[in-house]
Amino acid sequence: MKVEDFDMFSTLLRQRSGLVLSRDKAYLLESRLMPVARKWNMKGLEDLANTIRTRKDEALLRHVTEAMTTNESSFFRDQKPFDQFLQVVLPRMLEARATRRTIRIWSAACSSGQEPYSLCMLLQKETVRLAGWRVEIVATDLSSEMVERARAGVYTQFEVQRGLPIKLLVENFTQVGDKWQISDKLRSMVQFREFNLLGDLGPLGQFDVVFCRNVLIYFDQPTKARVLEGISRQMAPDGVLYLGGAETVLGITEKFKPMEDQRGLYVINSPAAVRAAAV
């Protein structure tokens, strides 16, 4: 691949999705964008790059962006965050929201939906604790294709075998041919939306719990700070943020601080603490 073509693609992806690609990732561009070029009846990546330069076709730009977005997910991924949700986060919210009896959860960069559906499976087991409560789950992803997949809730045998106990599979899925579809009840619990984390997050409203796991690792430091500060504006003052095991807020933003004794969980830093740190 020509250096100028790599630079053009990487700049485009950074602007549209926040994804940062170093030049040693040229192989990744080639493997993911060649199918895009073929679908658009182009000879190769040079042809694709020239077309993008000369014709700002939004459908093509979207296809390129979505092809490069990592869509790796699984049910109950890493397990620990879901244990924390039941043992730490949910009790905290039930106590703090006892008057209004409403909890809003955001699954950001939800890919094909396994994370929000995993939360649904946990929540439906908590009917006693949640009697009279309204729990709203909003799940978003940059990719329109992933959002449609998530909304349909249809998964391959391989996908349901990754992290999903057989008991939960039997209870919550129906086999359709060689695939599995999650129940209508669980699908109705999630609002799936196409959404870019680099955009204005205001229309999403305020959340009590935000899952933004394994997303920041693809961004540079300024973009991480921008995304985290945007999320902080959409969170309740006592809200809880989930990040991936390899992610942190430390050295990036003072809007959040780690939750004491809870790896991967973060809470809003008080304005007073932020002002003191800046002195």
Side-chain angles (χ1 to χ4, degrees):
M1 182 189 301
K2 292 182 177 179
V3 172
E4 57 267 33
D5 289 345
F6 176 87
D7 290 343
M8 189 278 293
F9 284 126
S10 62
T11 299
L12 172 71
L13 291 165
R14 183 172 180 176
Q15 291 172 344
R16 292 180 67 93
S17 71
L19 179 64
V20 176
L21 289 175
S22 56
R23 286 187 176 167
D24 63 343
K25 295 294 192 299
Y27 71 92
L28 192 58
L29 273 174
E30 292 172 353
S31 64
R32 294 196 179 185
L33 294 188
M34 275 304 296
V36 176
R38 286 194 291 268
K39 186 169 182 178
W40 286 75
N41 298 315
M42 299 176 191
K43 296 177 181 178
L45 296 192
E46 184 176 352
D47 195 6
L48 177 60
N50 289 334
T51 301
I52 289 174
R53 290 189 184 98
T54 57
R55 177 163 55 94
K56 299 300 182 183
D57 186 317
E58 179 58 31
L60 176 58
L61 295 177
R62 176 185 290 272
H63 197 173
V64 167
T65 304
E66 292 189 3
M68 289 303 302
T69 304
T70 300
N71 295 314
E72 172 68 17
S73 188
S74 61
F75 290 101
F76 297 99
R77 184 176 181 181
D78 302 327
Q79 188 56 49
K80 174 75 171 177
F82 298 96
D83 293 339
Q84 289 173 312
F85 180 78
L86 282 184
Q87 298 163 13
V88 179
V89 178
L90 186 58
R92 174 188 175 111
M93 291 298 149
L94 292 176
E95 180 179 357
R97 307 288 184 271
T99 302
R100 77 181 198 206
R101 301 175 79 81
T102 300
I103 301 172
R104 292 193 83 226
I105 302 171
W106 178 20
S107 173
C110 70
S111 188
S112 44
Q114 286 94 325
E115 180 176 83
Y117 285 139
S118 295
L119 288 170
C120 290
M121 284 183 259
L122 292 181
L123 290 168
Q124 76 167 357
K125 294 288 187 182
E126 298 296 320
T127 53
V128 175
R129 280 205 287 180
L130 292 172
W133 284 73
R134 178 172 176 266
V135 180
E136 181 182 350
I137 301 176
V138 177
T140 66
D141 199 87
L142 173 68
S143 168
S144 58
E145 179 184 353
M146 286 297 108
V147 168
E148 287 307 310
R149 273 206 65 201
R151 194 174 282 135
V154 177
Y155 300 95
T156 64
Q157 183 69 38
F158 174 73
E159 287 172 322
V160 297
Q161 286 176 331
R162 296 182 67 198
L164 185 64
I166 187 66
K167 186 173 186 293
L168 291 181
L169 175 63
V170 172
E171 290 176 349
N172 298 291
F173 290 77
T174 301
Q175 190 160 14
V176 181
D178 61 348
K179 296 184 178 180
W180 295 84
Q181 183 167 41
I182 202 161
S183 70
D184 291 345
K185 180 181 178 181
L186 293 191
R187 281 191 288 154
S188 70
M189 292 173 65
V190 187
Q191 301 174 37
F192 287 102
R193 303 183 194 176
E194 185 181 341
F195 208 86
N196 191 332
L197 281 173
L198 301 186
D200 175 17
L201 306 183
L204 294 175
Q206 188 179 75
F207 295 95
D208 304 299
V209 184
V210 175
F211 286 76
C212 189
R213 299 194 299 143
N214 306 305
V215 180
L216 299 182
I217 52 175
Y218 300 106
F219 299 156
D220 59 17
Q221 290 290 90
T223 306
K224 290 177 183 179
R226 174 183 166 188
V227 170
L228 286 170
E229 290 182 16
I231 290 173
S232 73
R233 290 192 290 270
Q234 303 308 126
M235 290 185 62
D238 61 346
V240 177
L241 170 67
Y242 276 85
L243 296 181
E247 298 168 325
T248 184
V249 301
L250 301 178
I252 300 172
T253 179
E254 294 178 346
K255 297 292 184 181
F256 292 96
K257 63 181 179 180
M259 182 185 286
E260 189 174 352
D261 299 325
Q262 296 297 327
R263 180 176 174 82
L265 299 188
Y266 300 84
V267 293
I268 297 288
N269 216 354
S270 69
V274 172
R275 286 196 297 271
V279 174

